[in-house]
Amino acid sequence: MSLVVADANEKAAVSLCEQLEHLGIEAISASDLKLAQSICAHAEPQMVVCCSYDWAEQLAGAHRRIPIVLARPEAPDAQLLTQALRSGLADVWTLPMTDELVRQRVNDTFERYASAATQAERRLSQYVADLQRDQRAGRYIQMGMLPPNPMAIDRYRIQHRIVPSLMLSGDFVDYFRITDRHFVVYVADVSGHGASSAFVTVLLKNFSRRLRREYRPTMLSRPGEILEWINRELLEQNIDKHVAMILAVVDVQADRAAVVNAGHFPPVIRVRGSGAQFVEQKGKPLGLFDAVDYEPEVLDLGSGESLVIFSDGVLEAYPDESLAQKETRLLEAARAAGSIDGVWNALGLDAEVDVPDDMTCLILRLES
């Protein structure tokens, strides 16, 4: 074991160190507070004995895991003992002490701290287990909110994949009929990660259900009105989150998709034959601004064409590439849009990849 004796009186510090060494306890002296703090920060001694209450109090506040003992030549009164307890000191010694008493007090302090550390570790392990169980339950619920995968709506086939960076995801997709002739499809990327972002996806799923019941006919040709509605809802909730989203309303009779973009990057990719290109659009993220406007890009789709949407987490899987290289990679992968597996393989993401953000891909394909 290793101890530090912190005392401005170098002679007294050396004397106590010699007594500890005689007991087989390795000890070093620190003649000023700055040196004692440095030793605690870098060497992590098993105990510090201070002869100054101010030093002991500062060290106890900065190094909670190290027992800090106050050693004084005068016996402590009740007030000092109370202050020491409140400051987090491990013990108060009255010097000088016999070798037997020093050994006993040192061992008692170590045993108390070891027991406390064991209990803390046990509580932490239980807390982590409870948290993981809750997150697994949350993940199960979140997966249950997602639409069938794949899903066919008339001649359209829709499939998706979400790979969360944590157990819960801030990415979300949904697609559903809104009339006999129209269906809605969207990809949403909630700011942040984890449980707080996942909570917003619950709001989005609730909005999907409301949209089916409360949509206005004008929204079918002007889907920007849907985004404006979501934007108002998020602002009214007054949550510290915003959402990037690509949303399309598809007319299955005219084979026409009206696409709007609320600050989502990368934009939707249109795949025709062997070619793929981004559909560049502008728009503010949802939940940040009162005044928003979203102009739709109307795409007439032909048999075999696909629309592919990635979340920006896919870009972060390639930290060493430039943005231009990443965009080229997405376009090349989108050409394999016959299946999600094909796209993932083309991206080199068929194996597990540690990424700092959720990764999502959605493919909407008009079958021949």
Side-chain angles (χ1 to χ4, degrees), residues 4-9 13 17 28-33 35-37 39 55:
V4 174
V5 177
D7 192 346
N9 186 334
C17 283
I28 58 175
S29 63
S31 58
D32 60 72
L33 177 61
L35 176 58
Q37 289 174 329
I39 294 173
W55 288 17

Side-chain angles (χ1 to χ4, degrees), residues 48-295:
V48 177
V49 180
C50 288
C51 296
S52 163
Y53 177 81
D54 290 339
W55 288 17
E57 185 179 38
Q58 292 186 52
L59 289 171
H63 305 281
R64 295 291 184 184
R65 294 188 299 177
I66 301 175
I68 308 297
V69 173
L70 175 63
R72 294 162 48 90
E74 303 89 7
D77 56 20
Q79 182 179 0
L80 179 60
L81 289 174
T82 301
Q83 289 178 341
L85 180 63
R86 290 175 175 171
S87 299
L89 302 189
D91 199 358
V92 179
W93 294 355
T94 301
L95 299 178
M97 294 195 302
T98 65
D99 289 353
E100 181 180 353
L101 184 56
V102 170
R103 187 191 304 276
Q104 178 184 341
R105 299 291 281 271
V106 169
N107 290 338
D108 287 349
T109 300
F110 281 149
E111 289 177 5
R112 289 201 311 273
Y113 266 70
S115 175
T118 300
Q119 293 177 14
E121 184 177 358
R122 188 180 299 115
R123 289 195 299 269
L124 179 60
S125 297
Q126 184 61 50
Y127 172 79
V128 171
D130 292 343
L131 178 62
Q132 291 176 338
R133 184 183 63 250
D134 290 345
Q135 287 190 328
R136 284 193 296 270
R139 179 63 178 160
Y140 178 79
I141 293 172
Q142 191 175 40
M143 293 296 291
M145 297 191 306
L146 294 170
N149 185 32
M151 179 176 175
I153 301 179
D154 284 12
R155 292 190 298 125
Y156 290 85
R157 177 181 172 86
I158 313 168
Q159 50 188 318
H160 71 267
R161 178 169 294 174
I162 297 177
V163 179
S165 58
L166 301 173
M167 193 168 293
L168 297 174
S169 175
D171 284 4
F172 190 68
V173 304
D174 208 359
Y175 34 86
F176 48 87
R177 277 192 183 273
I178 194 171
T179 71
D180 290 341
R181 179 172 174 172
H182 300 86
F183 68 88
V184 171
V185 56
Y186 67 79
V187 172
D189 184 354
V190 182
S191 61
H193 314 286
S196 60
S197 298
F199 172 74
V200 180
T201 68
V202 178
L203 298 180
L204 293 175
K205 184 62 177 184
N206 181 62
F207 187 84
S208 294
R209 296 189 179 102
R210 290 179 55 195
L211 180 60
R212 300 182 198 186
R213 302 190 306 266
E214 304 174 26
Y215 77 92
R216 296 190 302 272
T218 55
M219 293 177 175
L220 302 177
S221 58
R222 294 198 294 272
E225 295 181 9
I226 300 176
L227 296 186
E228 292 168 12
W229 185 12
I230 299 176
N231 184 66
R232 289 193 300 270
E233 293 280 333
L234 291 176
L235 289 174
E236 289 174 4
Q237 293 291 333
N238 196 29
I239 55 178
D240 187 25
K241 292 290 181 181
H242 62 272
V243 180
M245 179 182 289
I246 291 178
L247 180 145
V249 175
V250 181
D251 184 333
V252 298
Q253 292 186 13
D255 287 333
R256 181 175 296 127
V259 183
V260 282
N261 188 324
H264 191 286
F265 185 84
V268 63
I269 299 174
R270 184 178 188 179
V271 181
R272 290 186 285 184
S274 60
Q277 62 182 23
F278 290 108
V279 180
E280 302 289 352
Q281 292 178 280
K282 295 181 179 179
K284 298 175 181 177
L286 306 171
L288 288 178
F289 306 98
D290 291 320
V292 292
D293 181 63
Y294 303 99
E295 189 66 29

